[in-house]
Amino acid sequence: MEAFRQFDAVAVPLPQPNIDTDRIIPARFLSRPREVDHAQFLFHDARRLPEGGQDPDFPLNRPAWQPARIIVAGRNFACGSSRESAVWALFDAGFRCAIAPSFGDIFRNNGTKNGLLPVVLPAEAVDAIMAMLEAGPGARIAVDLPAQTVTAPDGTVHGFEIDPFAKHCLLEGLDDFGLTAGYEEEIAAFERRYGRENRL
Amino acid sequence: MDAPRTLFEKIWSRHRVLEREDGQTLLYVGRHLLHDGGATAFDVLRRRGLKPWAPERIFATPDHYVSTAGRRVEEIEDPRHREMVEKLARNTAEHGIRRFGLGDPNQGIVHVVGPETGLSQPGLLMVCGDSHTSTHGALGALAFGIGSTEVAHVLATQTLWQRKPRTMRITVEGRLGPQVTGKDVILAIIARIGAAGATGHAIEYAGSAIRSLSMEGRLTLCNMSIEAGGRAGMVAPDETTYAYLEGRPYSPRGADWEAAVTRWRELPSDAGAAFDTEVTLDGDAIQPMVTWGNSPEDALPIDGAIPDPETAPDAERRAQMRRMLDYMGLAPGTRLTDIAIDRAFIGSCTNSRIEDLRAAAAVAAGRKVAPGVTAWVVPGSEPVKRQAEAEGLHEVFRAAGFAWREPGCSMCLGTNGDIAAPGERVASTSNRNFVGRQGPGARTHLLSPAMAAAAAVTGRFTDVRRLLEG
Ligand code: SF4
């Protein structure tokens, strides 16, 4: 997994609550293997007009936000389905961080296991950052994982909390497989105890 | 004496292999379910040269990509979809994993198959690469959905790293009125606490109204826990649970059954066990519900009217409501019972079990699907289909003009190609009314099976209680 330390990039605001993973990547693209570049599926339908063609008003389509690599969204971002391809679509499009007042739990897990940092900030902080991004399209945000801070375009610094384990894995680019490999004895011993009560 | 513990804590601690100083816990997975959307996890295994650690604890069935028009793999027209079903067959065969494939008497939607075969049991920790894995909590299991990297990890180690979620108890006391089902209870709950109301929590449903639900009703209830943001939803096992499980193919038998029930009786939360969050609802007040927006939290009793964005509490909600009404093609103030539908879909892991089909058939009996409405019934599994046919429900549906299809996820998500056309309005017993969920531009309203059948035969949302009164 790609490690995450500091990241400084243009941020795009998506000022809506409950943006679900069906929006991030519609279900009909879920049969594509990981090798396929998933950037092409990111907000595939949301960024298009019903009659076809790109919607020039969709934030990611606006020239100032095309270089965006950080998403700032409303509460409950990426709720719904467990599809990991929601993370792949963001990652393949260059996104490494999403900032919101809250996330769907499964997306949050999937993100930290794929080098995409989910940052939870209070709703007021997210609103303030969004207002700055709207006022100055193309503005940048700096994220510092070791320091656990987000620096808004106006220089305001917001601290954030993160699970120490997720932080460690992201900083080192570690995945769970390597970690668990050291515990095979413990798992086997557990199974011997557990198996007595749970016959198959 | 030990501190009182919740059902959740009892299962969590029984499956804890170890806990790191930072609180991260390695959990043992008692049962792992797979479906045909999970090919990536096997790709990860192959790349890393890994093999499933405990294949005997893994069970698979194709559901997302199967055709609901026929049972042969060759009948799946889209080669990509066919490939997903074939990959599941190859991957499970290669690793000696039991698969209920197309044509198997137990094939079906993974969250229907688990409980129905007795694979889902009280006290088990279960996972599946699907967010509606919360369903299995209805049997008193701790069951939650995971992403495909986690699926690969569970395949390779039979364990999963997790941080303990918080606990929430949702208590619904009282008596549910006629035609008020598990679906209406969960929609009322989500309308109350919001689509993120239970984020970071494992939910336990309790109270007399929950106890009174059949196992099917509890499965519907727990299924939609994720729609409230909850990782897991559970109901403590009781006589309803044991009666449901006894004699199922994978349920313990004989002396093992007695021993299992004795163990399961220890599972319910102890008196005085503390939950991080408590929510209570009045069961008597719950009405048949219908959603109007693009989040399951946008649910109203059937006698309600579309809300006016101008009355929204803040600008964000106002803008969101406008977007949703625009997408849904609805005007503020319109009564739900004045909204005409184009399609009805009775199916999905939420509402495709035998009791759901019986409830819908009772409404369809002696009536006709309204002109211009396309109505489908998609049983959740082969056993549900067989049982329904043994009871003649398929004839009731067909006589009324409903299509009787083969088991699978179908129009819940449309990954197999069963989708609605842009702009079509669907009365759907599934779990998500998201933008584009049932096809680009499709407009989904969630409701119970009897309410969906009532909408199908009247051509608009209808209070099924009134309809049945005649
Ligand atoms: S029926 Fe729908 S929600 Fe359930 S597993 Fe299938 S696609 Fe997912």
Side-chain angles (χ1 to χ4, degrees), chain B residues 63-64 109-111 130 132 223 348-350 409 412-413 431 437:
Chain B
D63 51 11
H64 287 68
I109 306 174
V110 66
H111 308 310
D130 188 277
H132 291 99
N223 173 273
S348 89
C349 59
T350 312
C409 295
C412 171
L413 174 77
N431 42 53
R437 173 81 176 179

Side-chain angles (χ1 to χ4, degrees), chain B residues 31-387:
Chain B
R31 204 86 82 203
H32 183 190
L33 303 179
L34 300 173
H35 58 80
D36 51 6
T40 348
F42 285 95
D43 295 342
V44 173
L45 285 196
R46 250 185 299 279
R47 264 202 306 277
R48 292 171 176 266
L50 296 167
K51 285 214 296 275
W53 171 282
E56 72 281 3
R57 292 190 179 275
I58 313 172
F59 294 83
T61 189
D63 51 11
H64 287 68
Y65 291 95
V66 301
S67 166
T68 57
R71 287 291 81 177
R72 290 180 309 121
V73 181
E74 306 80 67
E75 281 168 291
I76 304 175
E77 280 171 24
D78 186 315
R80 275 209 186 88
H81 300 168
R82 200 182 321 124
E83 174 67 6
M84 296 301 274
V85 174
E86 286 171 345
K87 266 188 191 162
L88 182 72
R90 284 201 301 273
N91 286 327
T92 51
E94 181 184 337
H95 297 294
I97 293 167
R98 179 75 173 91
R99 174 183 59 103
F100 309 117
L102 277 179
D104 186 290
N106 283 314
Q107 180 269 338
I109 306 174
V110 66
H111 308 310
V112 176
V113 169
E116 184 170 73
T117 51
L119 283 168
S120 314
Q121 292 174 12
L124 269 184
L125 191 145
M126 303 180 62
V127 300
C128 173
D130 188 277
S131 58
H132 291 99
T133 306
S134 57
T135 312
H136 309 266
L139 292 135
L142 172 57
F144 50 89
I146 55 178
S148 57
T149 300
E150 291 177 315
V151 168
H153 186 272
V154 177
L155 284 173
T157 67
Q158 202 57 29
T159 63
L160 184 67
W161 290 100
Q162 290 282 297
R163 169 168 289 270
K164 202 184 217 176
R166 291 187 295 270
T167 53
M168 172 184 282
R169 177 161 58 190
I170 300 180
T171 307
V172 189
E173 296 287 359
R175 272 172 72 131
L176 301 176
Q179 301 295 337
V180 176
T181 67
K183 183 62 156 284
D184 305 298
V185 173
I186 188 64
L187 286 174
I189 288 171
I190 301 167
R192 160 80 85 80
I193 69 174
T199 300
H201 288 81
I203 303 170
E204 179 174 343
Y205 300 97
S208 51
I210 304 294
R211 291 270 141 243
S212 74
L213 290 173
S214 65
M215 191 48 62
E216 281 88 347
R218 297 177 188 186
L219 288 160
T220 303
L221 176 81
C222 290
N223 173 273
M224 289 187 68
S225 302
I226 183 73
E227 261 49 76
R231 279 308 294 282
M234 16 190 8
V235 175
D238 60 10
E239 298 311 317
T240 302
T241 320
Y242 311 139
Y244 175 89
L245 276 176
E246 190 164 15
R248 302 220 168 237
Y250 288 90
S251 292
R253 288 176 192 285
D256 284 347
W257 170 258
E258 298 303 328
V261 173
T262 304
R263 267 198 335 269
W264 295 342
R265 288 191 196 283
E266 301 292 316
L267 286 167
S269 295
D270 301 328
F275 292 79
D276 296 304
T277 312
E278 296 264 10
V279 175
T280 55
L281 265 82
D282 175 7
D284 294 271
I286 299 174
Q287 306 288 315
M289 304 287 285
V290 180
T291 66
W292 57 269
N294 296 121
S295 166
E297 70 187 13
D298 306 315
L300 286 170
I302 179 63
D303 60 4
I306 303 301
D308 189 341
E310 295 312 316
T311 64
D314 55 60
E316 181 195 81
R317 178 69 178 158
R318 195 170 312 129
Q320 183 203 19
M321 285 172 71
R322 286 209 189 99
R323 269 193 309 273
M324 293 194 297
L325 293 184
D326 182 48
Y327 179 83
M328 295 297 289
L330 294 170
T334 310
R335 307 189 64 80
L336 283 172
T337 48
D338 288 335
I339 299 171
I341 64 156
D342 302 298
R343 300 181 72 123
F345 170 62
I346 296 167
S348 89
C349 59
T350 312
N351 276 131
S352 64
R353 299 180 181 85
I354 189 65
E355 186 185 281
D356 301 320
L357 303 194
R358 286 181 191 139
V363 177
R367 298 188 169 86
K368 289 275 182 219
V369 170
V373 172
T374 305
W376 281 20
V377 183
V378 184
S381 68
E382 293 288 347
V384 170
K385 181 166 180 256
R386 277 197 303 279
Q387 178 65 29

Side-chain angles (χ1 to χ4, degrees), chain A residues 11-31:
Chain A
V12 57
L14 295 178
Q16 297 179 25
N18 297 332
I19 294 175
D20 54 71
T21 52
D22 277 76
R23 295 294 275 307
I24 299 175
I25 176 168
R28 61 187 184 281
F29 303 120
L30 300 187
S31 57

